[in-house]
Structure formats: structure tokens, C-alpha cells
Amino acid sequence: MNRAPEAPPIASRDNPRVKRLRRLVHDGSAYRREGVVWVEGDHLCRALLARGWQPQVVVASPAAQALVQAWQRDAGLAPEVPVWTLSEALMAQLSTLESPAPIACLVALPAVGGVQAGVPTVVLDRLQDPGNVGSILRSAAAFGFRQVLALRGTAALWSPKVLRAGMGAHFGLSLIEGLDAAALAALQVPLIATSSHQGDWLHTARLPWPCAWLLGHEGQGVHPALMAQAAQTVRIIQPGGEESLNVAAAAAICLHASAAAAAGGL
Amino acid sequence: MNRAPEAPPIASRDNPRVKRLRRLVHDGSAYRREGVVWVEGDHLCRALLARGWQPQVVVASPAAQALVQAWQRDAGLAPEVPVWTLSEALMAQLSTLESPAPIACLVALPAVGGVQAGVPTVVLDRLQDPGNVGSILRSAAAFGFRQVLALRGTAALWSPKVLRAGMGAHFGLSLIEGLDAAALAALQVPLIATSSHQGDWLHTARLPWPCAWLLGHEGQGVHPALMAQAAQTVRIIQPGGEESLNVAAAAAICLHASAAAAAGGL
């Protein structure tokens, strides 16, 4: 235990620590300036500890101190990590969840290396919706992809909303954002583009492994200039007709097909 | 044109019409008591008109009157449908969107018939998240499913959030909610359950058509008593390991596999 349990919790909205947390929580891209990420709730924080990450700080309500001790005991939280105790009311104001979480972490934004060659990859071309982006990260992790590249114009990958939808996938993937299309040349795996109206039917296509899937903007799809760089274009059978698929649903279908092909099953 | 264009817009929060709209918008299951559904935004409203539905009322800001005329001209809106004009400020308060929509419809909740036998079906077992439920409806429509049955405890299918995520799928599907598991006996198609840890691998399974997919609660999965009724259980290959899949992503993968099997491709 590294804190005095008798210390009164921070209760003022004007406390400098609280002001900094508020910026991080409510401005989805503030982590880029601050170099630190707000990770909220027991599930997400345990996911990062399970991957061997350590937070810079744990932020907890008075009632959540037992949770901090449980993390130290069985989830790998290092005892030297400082704990900021905030009043229940302040924690509830900070939370982005409908049922406010009594606990959160600040973690350093991981240092970004270069694009890795030869690795199963997902490329996000200007995806807008944080829920879609998080869901795609989660599918990417589940299906054995190791790297996600977000082209300029994509939703901020480490925003609270994307983290929540990612359900811990962030901590097991190599993530790079703000890239230009030229960066994809370093991938050295076949680029497969998804399209709503052209290309091979996914369910009968032969898929290479490793590969990089190119997923496009919710309304506009993959940019034509990128589409032209693809080694293969696939589309998804839609016997229901004109309905369009959600991009995260389309991504799940494509990434699963890749995993199945890699396992020799398709 | 059935309204006097000179009539001043409703501007009072206390107007009885506005109060009723506010209930419908902000209480996700109020449509059950009122028998009427709030459908927001040009895209969703055009989707219902395209399916041959007519609203009871169109609700529009003064600036959106041109949109009403466009719907009458080229989207099939009947000229006798009344238009309520609300001030911009009131429309913005009612909207559930980040960019408030200047137009919406009230449509009668469709009369619910019985469970249809022999029809491709999706069964939702206590799904909680409106975004997931809407995304699954969208995938169901795209992949040729015609009926969605929501067991008691599932998120309200016609709530504004589910409608938004469904992107118009609601208007092409037969939807029944509040069912007990006993109602599934009427389906007369094989029930296929999804599981995270048992059953055939989806990518090598032989799938019947028509069939009914059973999708379970985000945390707990399909209820064991329902699982026992399934003719087949399938699971999705996850070489990434312990990561769990989002239920809407899993649903997209399963429903696509069914559509591909029906097309003779898998």
C-alpha cells in the first residue's frame, strides 16, 4: 500500500489533476497532446494489466480502494503505482459510462514504431464512428491480426469511446494512426479492398495470408486512389438486396474469412 | 400541400404535441404504450417510404419544409399526411443525433402477427445494447432473413437508438418482441445456437436453410435452456486467443455464412 488510507479524497472540480482528467475524458483526441490515455472501468484496466502494461496512475473513488488492492494482489498492478482518490461525485462526473465506473487508469500512450512488414494488418481509411472503430479492433485481435493502421481522417483510436468498444483489444495490437496512404508500401503483404459493388464474392474467393484488409469510410467506402493499390477486391453476398452492411459487420466477416483461410478451412 | 405555409411553427416546450414527442424520443420503450414510433432523419424516413409505409405525421422545422415537398414529389409521401412544423430550437431539443435532424416522422407501430413457420429467422435472447440490436437487424435484412424474434429482456426494437443503428432494416423485416422461449416451437426450422466454447467450427460446418440463428446476451451468451433446444451449435474460430467477439460482429459472420450456404457457395 503506497497511500495513506486516511487522506481525504479530492473533491474539488478545480483541482488541477481533475481538470487534466476532464480534458482527457471529454476531448477524444486530447491524449495526443498529453501523451497519456484514460482507461475506464475494471474490465478494461484488467485487460491492460493482463497484457503486462502498468498505469502511470490509478484513479479511484473511496469505495473502489478494495478494487485497487485486488488489482495489486491478483491482476499484476505494481505496488508503486500512485493512486489518486477522487470523491464519488467527481468520479461519476468524469465517467463516460451510463453506469459510472468507480475506477480508471492513466496509461502512457505507447511509443509508435514504424509500419511492420509481413504482418497481418487492418487498414482503416477515414472511418468516422468510434463504435465501429472499436468493434473492428476487437475483431482484428480475435482473428489474429497484429497491426492496425489508421489513415489520416479516421476517428482517434485511443479515445474513450473507441477504447470502450475495443474491450481491451488495444493492448494486444500494434496501432499506428495519422498515416498517409504512401505508408502502406512498407506493408509488403497483399492489400485486399472491400467493396459494395465489385470484385470477387468473398465466400468463394481465395484469400492470401498474411494480408492487409482495407476498410473504408462509412458512407463513401475505400478511397478510389487506395482501391487502385489493392491486389484483390472482394464483396459480400447480400441476398436481402439493397440494404447496406455496417462497416464493422463487414469487417468481422472479412477478417473471419481470412482467419478461416489461414487455418485451411475455406 | 395540406398545411397553411404561413402558420407559425410550434415554439413552446409545453405544447401537448411537443410533450408527446418528447416522451417518445427520450423513453426508448414509450412506443409500446403510445402505439406510435419516432423515426428521425431524412435517410430513415425515406427508407420507410421506400418500403411503402406512410407516416401518421411528418414533423419538420421551418427550414425542412422543402424536404417535405421533396418527399411528396419523389419519395412517395402521401399529400394528405399532416405536417407539424416545430421551431428549429424545438427540433434540435428533440433530436437524438449529434447533428440534429430537421425532420422526422411518427409511424404507427405495425400490427404484430404470429411467429411465421419455415422462414429464415434471427432470435435475440436478452441482447442489451441498442447499437448491437440495430446492427443485427441490418445484417439480418442484408443476408435474406425475414423475421426477427426478440425474447423478453431484449432491448426495445423500435427505440430511437435501435432504429438509428438499423438504418432502415426495421421496415423490411417482420419483428416480434416480448416473446417467451416456448414461442420458438412454431418456427419449424432448425435452431442454430452460437457459442464461444463449444460446437462445430462455423467455417467448416454444414448449415441448413432456412434456419433460425439464436444470438445471446452480451455477457452471458445464449441461455442454457435455449441452448438445449438447438439442433446445432457452432463457434467461431478465434486464433487471436482469449479476446471475445462483439455479438453483432459474431451475428454478421453467422448470418453471412448462412447466406453463402444458401447460395451454394460454402
Side-chain angles (χ1 to χ4, degrees):
Chain A
M1 300 292 299
N2 65 318
R3 68 191 164 79
E6 301 79 12
I10 301 172
S12 164
R13 286 176 56 85
D14 297 325
N15 181 290
R17 288 177 173 175
V18 175
K19 284 184 170 172
R20 181 173 178 223
L21 294 178
R22 203 177 300 122
R23 275 199 305 277
L24 280 169
V25 173
H26 295 296
D27 173 356
S29 60
Y31 67 82
R32 290 176 181 159
R33 294 188 302 278
E34 307 262 344
V36 70
V37 173
W38 169 259
V39 180
E40 187 172 342
D42 187 49
H43 177 92
L44 266 186
C45 293
R46 282 182 186 265
L48 79 87
L49 292 167
R51 289 285 185 173
W53 295 41
Q54 286 294 333
Q56 292 181 343
V57 176
V58 175
V59 184
S61 75
Q65 300 301 318
L67 217 44
V68 178
Q69 291 160 29
W71 289 1
Q72 290 172 336
R73 200 169 53 237
D74 62 30
L77 176 66
E80 63 272 20
V81 173
V83 179
W84 295 353
T85 305
L86 268 58
S87 70
E88 304 284 344
L90 275 184
M91 282 303 290
Q93 283 167 24
L94 283 174
S95 179
T96 63
L97 306 176
E98 289 191 16
S99 310
I103 198 160
C105 285
L106 291 183
V107 293
L109 186 64
V112 172
V115 171
Q116 296 173 53
V119 163
T121 299
V122 175
V123 180
L124 307 179
D125 175 26
R126 297 165 298 135
L127 269 78
Q128 300 299 300
D129 182 77
N132 283 341
V133 172
S135 175
I136 292 170
L137 295 187
R138 194 172 168 191
S139 294
F143 293 125
F145 290 78
R146 303 226 308 269
Q147 172 173 251
V148 176
L149 308 180
L151 300 185
R152 209 180 294 279
T154 299
L157 296 187
W158 295 91
S159 73
K161 284 183 185 173
V162 176
L163 273 160
R164 198 184 326 154
M167 291 284 279
H170 287 73
F171 310 115
L173 291 165
S174 168
L175 304 178
I176 312 181
E177 53 184 351
L179 292 172
D180 287 319
L184 303 184
L187 278 173
Q188 300 182 37
V189 294
L191 206 56
I192 313 178
T194 49
S195 167
S196 59
H197 59 282
Q198 60 176 327
D200 307 326
W201 294 112
L202 176 71
H203 65 284
T204 52
R206 292 182 63 90
L207 299 173
W209 184 264
C211 68
W213 282 95
L214 194 47
L215 303 168
H217 182 278
E218 283 86 352
Q220 300 158 23
V222 173
H223 193 282
L226 273 178
M227 195 65 111
Q229 292 186 36
Q232 187 172 3
T233 302
V234 300
R235 58 178 155 168
I236 292 172
I237 189 173
Q238 284 177 235
E242 79 278 18
E243 312 291 343
S244 69
L245 271 178
N246 169 269
V247 65
I253 293 165
C254 292
L255 303 185
H256 170 259
S258 258
L266 279 184
Chain B
M1 299 296 296
N2 63 318
R3 67 193 165 79
E6 303 79 11
I10 300 172
S12 164
R13 287 175 55 84
D14 298 324
N15 180 289
R17 287 177 173 175
V18 174
K19 284 184 170 173
R20 180 174 178 221
L21 294 179
R22 201 177 301 123
R23 275 199 305 277
L24 279 170
V25 173
H26 295 297
D27 172 355
S29 59
Y31 67 82
R32 291 175 180 159
R33 292 188 302 276
E34 307 262 344
V36 70
V37 173
W38 170 260
V39 180
E40 187 172 342
D42 187 47
H43 176 91
L44 266 186
C45 292
R46 282 183 186 264
L48 79 87
L49 292 168
R51 289 285 185 171
W53 295 41
Q54 286 294 334
Q56 291 182 344
V57 176
V58 174
V59 184
S61 75
Q65 300 302 316
L67 216 44
V68 177
Q69 289 160 29
W71 290 0
Q72 289 172 336
R73 201 170 52 239
D74 62 30
L77 176 65
E80 63 271 21
V81 174
V83 178
W84 296 352
T85 304
L86 267 59
S87 69
E88 303 285 344
L90 275 185
M91 281 304 288
Q93 283 168 23
L94 282 175
S95 180
T96 64
L97 306 175
E98 289 190 17
S99 311
I103 198 160
C105 285
L106 291 183
V107 293
L109 185 63
V112 172
V115 171
Q116 295 174 53
V119 163
T121 299
V122 176
V123 180
L124 308 179
D125 175 26
R126 297 165 298 135
L127 268 79
Q128 300 299 301
D129 182 78
N132 284 340
V133 171
S135 174
I136 292 171
L137 295 187
R138 194 172 167 192
S139 294
F143 293 125
F145 290 78
R146 302 224 309 269
Q147 171 174 252
V148 176
L149 308 181
L151 300 185
R152 208 181 294 279
T154 299
L157 297 187
W158 294 91
S159 74
K161 285 184 185 172
V162 175
L163 273 160
R164 198 186 325 154
M167 292 283 280
H170 286 73
F171 310 115
L173 291 166
S174 167
L175 303 177
I176 312 183
E177 53 184 349
L179 291 172
D180 288 318
L184 304 184
L187 278 173
Q188 299 183 37
V189 294
L191 206 56
I192 312 179
T194 50
S195 168
S196 60
H197 60 281
Q198 60 175 328
D200 308 327
W201 293 113
L202 175 71
H203 65 284
T204 53
R206 291 182 65 89
L207 298 173
W209 185 263
C211 68
W213 282 96
L214 192 49
L215 302 168
H217 181 278
E218 284 87 352
Q220 301 158 21
V222 173
H223 193 283
L226 273 177
M227 195 65 111
Q229 291 187 35
Q232 187 173 3
T233 303
V234 299
R235 59 179 157 169
I236 292 171
I237 190 172
Q238 285 178 235
E242 77 279 18
E243 312 291 344
S244 69
L245 272 178
N246 170 268
V247 64
I253 293 165
C254 292
L255 304 185
H256 171 259
S258 258
L266 279 183

